[in-house]
Amino acid sequence: MFGWEFPPHILGGLGTASYGLTQGMSMQEDMEITFCIPKPWGDEDQSFLKIIGMNSTPVVWRDVNWDYVNSRVGGYMNPQDYYELRDHIYADFNYLHTNDLGCIEFSGRYPDNLQEEINNYSIVAGVVARQQQYDIIHSHDWLTYPAGIHAKQISGKPLVIHVHATDFDRSRGNVNPTVYSIEKNGMDHADHIMCVSELTRQTVIHKYHQDPRKVTTVHNAVSPLSQEIMNIVPQKSKKEKIVTFLGRITMQKGPEYFVEAAAMVLHRTKNIRFVMAGNGDMMNQMISLVAERGIADRFHFPGFMKGKQVYEVLKASDVYIMPSVSEPFGISPLEAMQVSVPTIISKQSGCAEILDNCIKIDYWDIHAMADAIYSICTYPAMYEYLKTEGKREVDAIKWENVGYKVRSIYDNILQNYR
């Protein structure tokens, strides 16, 4: 598998989904997964898969001793892998900027030179593809499609790509032609395309002109809660309700609709606080909008949340809302429902296809959004119903079952692959 992020160092839903899916798949005894990421940090859970750091895979030959390699990469990768990979360098990459191990450095994030990192990642993938033993290649999201294509061309093994989002989702239709061409190229070369929702599947078929027979919907799931998260005691006030938006504050997530709905709710009652957790390119715009609407005393911007912090915020909430304009899936509502928080989602999100015990509204319908928030905060019976039934529903949506669906797709591809 080629991926761009893996917990605990994640910047969004992609890493969470990669973790859940691989953990679910690993419950099949004959499944071995090697997961390649640009830059491991050493605290990744490798109990059910093997991680290869692309920043520790040499593309230029260096004569370095074992102890030195161990001191540099031993925290997250077997130093022996470095030497075995070194024997499979396939071209003269001396023109590239490499370090003292002959490796390319990666930020492990989404830097300004992202296109360069994507290209370098695909170069390194050529070394990995020549050295590793595998039956199938699985590339997560557009950043790793070039790597998947390269590995397929080298090995002759089938390529599955996993579409977690398309640029149509990220840009509200104002598509970046470079990103679109990378996505389309990945889809054209793929032997099968997995999409996180039927919504995304239809985009892939109609906007990227793919054969419907090679595109399958594989909905995401949610990982079981750790004991640490279950032990979090929510900090709740009896007098005030808290309504939370948690995600990137960007055009795709519809933050302005949340602010407008909040203003409408606060015209009717004053005992509700609103939280917009996260960061993004629309944050300053949202702070200004909150001020313009005169609701700054009831609105909070705590910034980016990760790991345990996410669940502390969720557990302190009375309502969770995801008003996304275009959300391929959206794991966060499932995480909220998992900790018994009544949830409102937009009908334009993929998870709306599999969730019943939540309130669904059109992202643009701020009146319906405000009514839903007000109702959950005001009517205890409605709050209790969504809290209890939402949790029950989500607890049955398991990554293990998703893993079996992915396996059947693999088996089918391998059976028909020539």
Side-chain angles (χ1 to χ4, degrees):
M1 276 192 186
F2 294 112
W4 205 257
E5 51 182 69
F6 196 79
H9 298 270
I10 59 171
L11 297 162
L14 177 61
T16 306
S18 297
Y19 180 86
L21 176 65
T22 50
Q23 195 179 38
M25 288 168 65
S26 72
M27 292 179 185
Q28 301 164 42
E29 284 181 9
D30 60 343
M31 181 77 75
E32 283 182 31
I33 303 165
T34 300
F35 201 93
C36 302
I37 50 174
K39 182 180 179 178
W41 298 85
D43 49 0
E44 292 83 7
D45 179 2
Q46 294 200 47
S47 61
F48 55 91
L49 47 60
K50 171 182 173 175
I51 283 180
I52 287 182
M54 301 304 251
N55 65 333
S56 302
T57 300
V59 293
V60 174
W61 204 93
R62 295 273 194 263
D63 187 9
V64 278
N65 71 45
W66 199 94
D67 288 337
Y68 184 66
V69 173
N70 187 38
S71 73
R72 290 288 301 277
V73 310
Y76 53 81
M77 197 168 113
N78 183 346
Q80 190 56 38
D81 288 334
Y82 168 87
Y83 292 104
E84 289 173 8
L85 288 160
R86 190 181 65 175
D87 293 339
H88 290 83
I89 296 168
Y90 56 94
D92 182 358
F93 291 117
N94 276 298
Y95 69 92
L96 288 169
H97 183 69
T98 56
N99 62 17
D100 54 349
L101 293 179
C103 303
I104 301 171
E105 300 279 2
F106 289 92
S107 68
R109 302 177 77 81
Y110 299 87
D112 291 339
N113 66 331
L114 186 58
Q115 296 292 343
E116 185 186 353
E117 290 216 345
I118 291 168
N119 187 54
N120 287 344
Y121 184 102
S122 70
I123 288 171
V124 180
V127 178
V128 175
R130 284 170 170 79
Q131 188 268 328
Q132 290 290 303
Q133 299 294 311
Y134 48 96
D135 301 295
I136 205 150
I137 303 153
H138 189 141
S139 279
H140 290 279
D141 233 32
W142 68 282
L143 306 134
T144 69
Y145 295 169
I149 294 168
H150 192 184
K152 176 182 175 173
Q153 288 167 340
I154 285 164
S155 64
K157 306 283 186 187
L159 169 65
V160 173
I161 66 165
H162 208 127
V163 184
H164 296 264
T166 70
D167 209 49
F168 284 90
D169 303 303
R170 289 183 289 266
S171 66
R172 281 199 196 172
N174 186 20
V175 176
N176 178 327
T178 308
V179 176
Y180 178 87
S181 68
I182 292 173
E183 291 177 328
K184 173 103 169 61
N185 199 34
M187 293 174 193
D188 291 345
H189 280 86
D191 297 282
H192 202 85
I193 303 166
M194 295 183 196
C195 299
V196 293
S197 61
E198 183 59 29
L199 192 79
T200 306
R201 181 174 177 267
Q202 291 303 323
T203 302
V204 165
I205 292 166
H206 298 296
K207 303 284 191 189
Y208 294 84
H209 315 294
Q210 298 301 309
D211 182 344
R213 290 171 299 182
K214 81 168 194 180
V215 193
T216 304
T217 299
V218 180
H219 288 111
N220 286 331
V222 69
S223 297
L225 296 174
S226 68
Q227 199 57 50
E228 182 189 24
I229 289 165
M230 288 169 76
N231 290 342
I232 295 170
V233 178
Q235 306 293 313
K236 282 196 173 183
S237 157
K238 288 241 181 344
K239 293 179 184 168
E240 293 185 315
K241 304 291 185 185
I242 293 177
V243 179
T244 299
F245 167 112
L246 195 149
R248 289 196 318 282
I249 306 175
T250 61
M251 199 163 56
Q252 181 193 345
K253 304 293 181 179
E256 70 272 39
Y257 300 103
F258 176 61
V259 174
E260 297 291 7
M264 295 178 82
V265 171
L266 290 168
H267 280 305
R268 296 159 77 174
T269 178
K270 288 288 181 230
N271 68 335
I272 300 176
R273 287 190 180 275
F274 292 84
V275 175
M276 186 174 277
N279 56 22
D281 58 8
M282 285 180 73
M283 185 154 178
N284 289 340
Q285 203 180 322
M286 290 306 101
I287 292 169
S288 298
L289 184 59
V290 164
E292 277 172 35
R293 294 289 175 267
I295 56 173
D297 60 326
R298 300 268 106 198
F299 222 99
H300 304 267
F301 291 90
F304 182 73
M305 302 277 164
K306 66 176 188 179
K308 190 181 172 188
Q309 291 174 312
V310 168
Y311 287 96
E312 286 170 347
V313 170
L314 289 178
K315 283 194 168 190
S317 305
D318 298 282
V319 181
Y320 178 75
I321 182 161
M322 186 183 74
S324 295
V325 174
S326 178
E327 187 72 49
F329 186 79
I331 288 178
S332 62
L334 279 70
E335 294 171 333
M337 292 163 76
Q338 205 178 13
V339 291
S340 306
V341 180
T343 296
I344 302 167
I345 60 175
S346 70
K347 292 175 183 174
Q348 290 72 22
S349 56
C351 61
E353 296 167 14
I354 61 165
L355 295 175
D356 292 317
N357 293 298
C358 61
I359 295 182
K360 302 174 196 179
I361 44 96
D362 288 304
Y363 71 84
W364 43 261
D365 193 344
I366 55 174
H367 293 275
M369 200 183 296
D371 285 344
I373 293 167
Y374 183 80
S375 301
I376 297 170
C377 290
T378 309
Y379 303 117
M382 187 176 189
Y383 172 84
E384 287 298 331
Y385 178 84
L386 290 170
K387 173 182 165 177
T388 308
E389 294 305 316
K391 177 166 172 54
R392 182 181 299 164
E393 180 177 29
V394 165
D395 284 347
I397 302 172
K398 295 183 167 68
W399 278 114
E400 186 179 359
N401 300 335
V402 181
Y404 284 115
K405 182 164 186 177
V406 170
R407 175 58 181 267
S408 70
I409 291 168
Y410 283 177
D411 289 343
N412 203 23
I413 294 164
L414 290 166
Q415 207 173 337
N416 300 311
Y417 195 70
R418 296 286 176 266

